[in-house]
Amino acid sequence: MPSIAAIFADLQRRGVLRVAGIYCVAAWVISEIAISLEGPLGLPDWLDTSIIIVLAIGFPIGLLLAYAFNLTPEGIRRHRVDEPGNTI
């Protein structure tokens, strides 16, 4: 069974922790913008809740995509175990 340190090292190597941090900051900014524009634009009250729900649903999806794929200069590529530097 892998240790907690090995799991975090794998997540960091795959960029999942970076994606999680960026997603949280972006979600916070989007929710703050929605809250601040709700009153002046006359938007309904349920809009804030729906934005937060959509962002919460998108978080695990984003983490799964970050774990499975790698963004390279050549484009988006699937993480492979047999690539140099990757371990089983």
Side-chain angles (χ1 to χ4, degrees):
M1 183 168 183
S3 67
I4 299 293
I7 293 172
F8 275 110
D10 185 43
L11 293 176
Q12 187 174 13
R13 180 182 58 83
R14 290 179 178 252
V16 176
L17 299 178
R18 182 174 18 133
V19 169
I22 292 170
Y23 192 95
C24 287
V25 170
W28 177 72
V29 169
I30 290 170
S31 65
E32 287 295 318
I33 290 172
I35 290 170
S36 65
L37 291 179
E38 180 183 0
L41 295 179
L43 300 173
D45 292 336
W46 55 263
L47 185 67
D48 296 337
T49 305
S50 63
I51 288 174
I52 291 172
I53 289 172
V54 168
L55 292 172
I57 290 171
F59 184 69
I61 295 170
L63 294 183
L64 288 173
L65 290 174
Y67 187 80
F69 296 100
N70 189 17
L71 184 61
T72 65
E74 294 85 24
I76 298 174
R77 297 197 177 223
R78 188 166 182 235
H79 277 287
R80 297 187 50 110
V81 176
D82 57 351
E83 288 179 355
N86 290 346
T87 58
I88 297 177

